Amino acid sequence: MASITKLPSGAYRVQIRRKGRYASETFLRRDDAHRWARQAETRVDQGMAPNKSSISRLKNFSNLIDLHIADMCEVGKPPLRSKAATLETLKRDLGKERIGQLDRQKLIDYGKMRAEQGAGPVTLGIDIGVIKTIITHAAAVHGLDVSPEPVDLARVALKRLGLIGKGTERDRRPSSEELNRLFQCFDDNKRLTLPMSRIVKFAVATAMRLDEICRIEWTDLDINHKMLLIRDRKDPRHKTGNSQRIPLFAVSGYDAWGLVLDQAKHLGHTTGRVFPYNSRSVGTAFRRACKKLGIKDLHFHDLRHEGTSRLFEAGFAIEQVALVTGHRDWKMLRRYTHIQPESLHKIASSPATKPIKDFAAE
């Protein structure tokens, strides 16, 4: 049986002794003390340990999100920008839902709403995955009586409805004419302080992501060997420790090392970051130029696709291209590769290309 005692401070201490287990918690309100006592005794009867008072006071999904964030920060793994944005979206749209009432149908309705807002199959899949992570974390780490089964059922339903699935692989590559028009637009814009032409050329020459370009420092350069150290490259399995050295050469139509030297002259120093600009500002400048020129459906990330494809067109093998792009999964590398068939003539004329044997004659 549970015993509740009012303390001199006005708070209420509740104690339970049941089946050899003892637990005690303190609450400001008597109703909360009674509620916790009933939940604690039920959990003991089910062979589980009573929840802490802080856990028993969790009421809605927003509380679970805050709990998950606090726990991840405590172990030194705070949510990064993309996950943090997803958590904010979930808190906005589902935060007020009571934990016990977040069932399969509400999750399906949420998926339909997000799809109407413009969320694609991959984005919605990420949302549902994060919801399951939060619920599973609360159940596994804190023993909260909540099941991820409704999330699994909702995922199946949303997949059947075509709202969750693989994204459409982009094969958009900028033409030479489009790139030249962009360079002209950047160079003619006297109000533009960002060296956009140099940044775009460097993106194609190195197949680097925009945030990687804006993060590299002069100390990451190996002048003697014309190499660049990219620290903590993006990897879905490992968030840190993915540093990689890549060569800065001129095989993609632009000289990466020459662009670095031009940047040094532009800045007048070689301290700090090589491209000391906000990646969002660079992305905004790129989108504005595309809009001004009427260049449709071209994203800055497509320049990484372009650089990767040019490496293949220059005759490099998959494993060699991976040393530049950082892809550990060669299947993933394939989706970034959109080789133009005309480039096969160049590869075929290379001295390193051996003629196909006439097997019929053998």
Side-chain angles (χ1 to χ4, degrees), residues 100-301:
Q101 297 175 357
L102 194 60
D103 57 14
R104 174 190 59 83
Q105 189 57 51
K106 286 190 176 179
L107 291 171
I108 293 174
D109 292 341
Y110 166 76
K112 291 180 178 178
M113 179 197 70
R114 286 284 286 142
E116 290 176 358
Q117 293 175 344
V122 174
T123 300
L124 185 53
I126 292 173
D127 286 359
I128 297 299
V130 172
I131 291 173
K132 183 175 180 179
T133 297
I134 292 168
I135 291 176
T136 304
H137 177 90
V141 178
H142 297 284
L144 198 66
D145 188 16
V146 57
S147 171
E149 183 179 3
V151 187
D152 293 330
L153 293 174
R155 176 183 286 277
V156 172
L158 292 169
K159 192 171 183 179
R160 295 287 179 88
L161 293 171
L163 301 181
I164 285 181
K166 295 182 179 179
T168 303
E169 294 186 5
R170 287 182 61 82
D171 58 0
R172 178 69 160 94
R173 291 184 60 179
S175 65
S176 297
E177 187 224 354
E178 288 175 330
L179 288 174
N180 289 332
R181 289 173 62 202
L182 282 170
F183 298 149
Q184 190 66 48
C185 179
F186 294 140
D187 296 342
D188 289 345
N189 188 350
K190 303 305 180 183
R191 299 175 59 185
L192 184 64
T193 58
L194 300 170
M196 285 298 299
S197 292
R198 190 175 303 120
I199 294 174
V200 169
K201 291 176 182 178
F202 189 80
V204 175
T206 61
M208 288 174 63
R209 301 176 181 87
L210 177 54
D211 68 311
E212 293 173 344
I213 293 174
C214 294
R215 201 174 63 232
I216 58 176
E217 301 198 4
W218 290 103
T219 53
D220 297 329
L221 291 167
D222 181 347
I223 298 176
N224 296 326
H225 300 93
K226 295 185 179 179
M227 299 289 290
L228 169 65
L229 175 65
I230 306 176
R231 301 181 186 275
D232 295 329
R233 298 204 84 167
K234 180 181 177 181
D235 188 289
R237 299 176 184 84
H238 308 284
K239 301 302 181 185
T240 58
N242 305 311
S243 299
Q244 179 187 14
R245 294 174 72 245
I246 69 167
L248 297 180
F249 44 29
V251 297
S252 301
Y254 305 113
D255 183 358
W257 184 253
L259 292 167
V260 168
L261 296 179
D262 291 342
Q263 181 65 6
K265 295 177 182 177
H266 172 75
L267 294 176
H269 62 80
T270 54
T271 57
R273 290 183 292 156
V274 177
F275 296 96
Y277 317 111
N278 187 304
S279 60
R280 293 186 180 181
S281 300
V282 174
T284 299
F286 186 84
R287 287 191 297 272
R288 286 177 177 171
C290 288
K291 183 177 180 180
K292 180 179 179 180
L293 297 173
I295 298 176
K296 298 181 179 179
D297 192 35
L298 183 64
H299 306 161
F300 192 96
H301 194 71

